Each structure stands twice: as C-alpha cells, then as structure tokens.
C-alpha cells in the first residue's frame, strides 16, 4: 500500500494531473486530492487502483527498507542497456578512499 505523499510524488514524477490519474484509475479526483493532502484515507482497493495506474505510467514505489519509503521512475529499455554497457566496460579497480 502507498501513502498519500507517495501518490503525490509518483504523480509528479510521471507528470500527470489528478484529473488524468482519476481517469486512468477510475478513482474520483476529489478522493485523490483528499488522500494526497492526508485528509482522508481511501479504501485499500482505491489505493491499489491508484498505485497500479501510477506503476503503469512508470512509477516504482519503494517500501520501508530502513531508509524510508519512496518512489522513483522506472528505467526505460534504452537506459537499462546503457547502464549495462557502462557497468561492463571494466577499467582500473581501486578503493574509493581518498588519502
């Protein structure tokens, strides 16, 4: 389950308005606003619908892992390929310590 803050942040990351998210999730725009402003807690099914719609748009929700909850964007296919290529380039291996 996500929080209202994660919903708001996820919406900002994928650059959709509340109206667009309402349309994609079949959740009323007023309910989304109340949830994001922490004024009302919707039913778990409603939160799941919001999470699913945001994930489809490219948001990835991070559960509590000792560092806090969060949200980030998915890597695109081309981003993932570039990262894999850079990781496989090799080079000098050294410690990160600065004397």
């Amino acid at each position: 389950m996500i929080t209202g803050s994660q919903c708001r942040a996820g919406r900002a990351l994928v650059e959709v308005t509340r109206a667009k998210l309402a349309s994609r999730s079949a959740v009323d725009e007023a309910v989304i606003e109340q949830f994001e402003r922490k004024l009302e807690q919707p039913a778990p099914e409603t939160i799941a619908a919001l999470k699913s719609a945001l994930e489809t748009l490219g948001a990835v929700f991070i559960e509590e892992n000792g560092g806090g909850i969060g949200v980030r964007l998915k890597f695109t296919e081309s981003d993932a390929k570039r990262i894999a290529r850079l990781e496989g380039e090799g080079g000098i291996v050294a410690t990160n310590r600065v004397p």
Side-chain angles (χ1 to χ4, degrees), residues 23-88:
S23 172
R24 288 191 162 253
S25 64
V27 174
D28 189 78
E29 190 175 344
V31 172
I32 297 170
E33 181 180 2
Q34 295 289 317
F35 179 49
E36 289 181 348
R37 295 179 66 204
K38 301 178 185 178
L39 299 174
E40 195 171 304
Q41 183 74 12
E45 306 83 42
T46 302
I47 296 172
L50 292 170
K51 181 180 179 187
S52 176
L54 288 166
E55 287 174 335
T56 300
L57 291 166
V60 176
F61 294 96
I62 302 164
E63 300 294 324
E64 172 61 54
N65 59 5
I69 60 172
V71 61
R72 68 170 182 83
L73 286 174
K74 290 180 188 175
F75 288 119
T76 64
E77 186 72 28
S78 65
D79 288 340
K81 286 179 182 177
R82 261 186 281 143
I83 291 168
R85 187 177 66 244
L86 290 172
E87 287 177 340

